[in-house]
Amino acid sequence: MKKDHILAKWLNDDLSEKELAEFEASPDFEKYQKIKNYTAHLEVDDFDEDTMLSNILQQKKTTQKVVPLYKKWIFRAAAIFVLGLGIAFAMKNFIPQTQIANFGEKTTFTLPDNSEVVLNSGSEISYKKWNWNSNRHLKLKGEAYFKVSKGRRFEVHTALGKVSVLGTQFNVKVRKNRFDVICYEGRVKVNYANTQIILTHGQSVTFENGKQFNNSTNSSKPEWMDNQICFYKENIKSLLDEVQRQYNITTVLNTKDTNALFTGKLPTEDLDVALQIISTTYHLEVKKVSKNKIIFDKK
């Protein structure tokens, strides 16, 4: 009751400076303030005490009732909380949900149909829960692995292209101007610019600068889920960008000779080994200037 009383006084701007300071320091204050801001337009009519008294005296059988004035503020607080619950429900179900994997992290989550998604480092996905069965669309930035429940069409939209599937397992990767899709099970339809291609089990496709590269894989899932980064005909700048995401570090490349393309794997749990592979492949000297900064110089 004390909490309700303080809340009621706050809503009526009746708190003393000390009470206001204590209330603003409480862990729930920010939530109350947001709800109050959303409902600032709500008004509760004041009691017309003279009319109420007249009506009571005109009744033949009356029972004297005392209406505590604080109830007026309790009613308003209740209205605010009801509206707040409605706002929270709308935000949870109607506003797009976003999942993020920061640099050096991976994030696993399930969609409303129990499809499983694993986000690689430095990636983001947004989707809407509302009417999911009829609107199974995702927006992807970065890289993600999908294990889709059987059902209606499932679509992944990216800045470079779209992937449509029906109950399958696949990986989508979007980095700058490069778009990679690998199908591990079932079939996927890939749309890129004016090109459309169907991939089946073990097939992959890469689009970069308008060029298409087809490849195959014997893996049952992406190598990055087993703490390895797999590259196919990528330049050193792309390698270093991915190393920065996986290890949450900064790299500096002091050479212009970056035309050679790399196909192979790098570990994501042993930075020294990854740096050694890169330096040996490209004949570079590695310098660790700090815990999170690496410089590559030409030998």
Side-chain angles (χ1 to χ4, degrees):
M1 180 61 69
K2 181 179 179 181
K3 185 176 181 180
D4 291 342
H5 181 65
I6 293 296
L7 179 59
K9 291 181 65 177
W10 174 67
L11 290 171
N12 197 34
D13 297 325
D14 285 339
L15 290 177
S16 64
E17 291 185 4
K18 180 179 180 181
E19 289 175 327
L20 180 60
E22 293 177 351
F23 184 63
E24 290 179 344
S26 69
D28 293 330
F29 174 73
E30 185 177 353
K31 175 180 65 178
Y32 292 141
Q33 184 64 53
K34 288 181 178 179
I35 294 175
K36 183 179 180 182
N37 291 339
Y38 277 119
T39 58
H41 63 283
L42 289 179
E43 295 291 342
V44 177
D45 293 337
D46 293 331
F47 287 114
D48 189 337
E49 297 179 358
D50 292 336
T51 301
M52 181 184 294
L53 179 60
S54 177
N55 290 336
I56 293 174
L57 293 177
Q58 290 177 7
Q59 294 179 7
K60 293 181 179 181
K61 296 181 179 181
T62 62
T63 301
Q64 186 175 1
K65 295 182 180 180
V66 177
V67 180
L69 293 179
Y70 75 86
K71 282 190 176 182
K72 169 182 177 180
W73 312 115
I74 295 299
F75 292 153
R76 183 178 182 183
I80 290 175
F81 276 109
V82 170
L83 185 57
L85 290 175
I87 292 171
F89 176 82
M91 292 180 67
K92 182 178 180 180
N93 292 280
F94 294 95
I95 295 177
Q97 306 293 304
T98 301
Q99 296 285 346
I100 298 174
N102 295 319
F103 282 16
E105 299 178 355
K106 296 181 181 70
T107 298
T108 301
F109 64 97
T110 56
L111 296 169
D113 62 356
N114 291 321
S115 294
E116 182 179 323
V117 182
V118 185
L119 274 178
N120 201 357
S121 300
S123 302
E124 177 181 318
I125 272 183
S126 61
Y127 63 97
K128 294 181 180 179
K129 286 185 176 181
W130 176 250
N131 201 25
W132 173 255
N133 288 333
S134 300
N135 186 28
R136 303 175 72 180
H137 295 168
L138 297 168
K139 290 184 179 180
L140 169 66
K141 296 178 182 179
E143 182 173 13
Y145 169 71
F146 298 85
K147 188 174 182 180
V148 183
S149 298
K150 292 183 179 180
R152 300 177 183 175
R153 173 176 289 190
F154 188 104
E155 292 187 350
V156 180
H157 295 256
T158 75
L160 296 181
K162 179 179 71 174
V163 181
S164 303
V165 301
L166 182 62
T168 188
Q169 298 180 36
F170 64 103
N171 190 82
V172 182
K173 181 179 180 180
V174 181
R175 301 294 193 203
K176 295 182 178 178
N177 59 346
R178 183 175 172 125
F179 183 38
D180 296 277
V181 182
I182 304 176
C183 180
Y184 296 98
E185 182 182 291
R187 288 158 44 101
V188 297
K189 181 171 67 175
V190 182
N191 291 87
Y192 174 85
N194 296 322
T195 301
Q196 180 174 291
I197 182 173
I198 301 294
L199 300 180
T200 58
H201 170 72
Q203 295 182 333
S204 69
V205 65
T206 295
F207 296 97
E208 186 172 16
N209 296 324
K211 296 181 180 180
Q212 177 179 331
F213 305 93
N214 293 82
N215 200 8
S216 61
T217 180
N218 294 320
S219 302
S220 60
K221 61 182 177 180
E223 285 79 0
W224 59 265
M225 293 182 65
D226 290 326
N227 302 313
Q228 295 184 85
I229 324 171
C230 187
F231 299 95
Y232 176 68
K233 293 184 178 180
E234 295 198 49
N235 59 47
I236 188 173
K237 290 184 178 180
S238 296
L239 263 69
L240 295 182
D241 283 346
E242 199 62 40
V243 168
Q244 290 181 138
R245 293 186 187 93
Q246 298 295 333
Y247 288 98
N248 193 20
I249 61 172
T250 300
T251 63
V252 178
L253 180 62
N254 293 328
T255 178
K256 295 181 179 180
D257 185 15
T258 58
N259 294 324
L261 300 180
F262 178 83
T263 296
K265 299 178 182 179
L266 295 178
T268 62
E269 290 190 327
D270 194 326
L271 179 59
D272 290 334
V273 171
L275 296 178
Q276 183 178 0
I277 293 173
I278 295 173
S279 62
T280 301
T281 301
Y282 289 93
H283 307 290
L284 300 172
E285 182 180 354
V286 180
K287 295 180 181 179
K288 289 186 177 181
V289 296
S290 67
K291 181 180 178 180
N292 296 316
K293 186 175 182 179
I294 310 296
I295 295 179
F296 291 90
D297 289 321
K298 189 175 183 179
K299 287 185 178 180

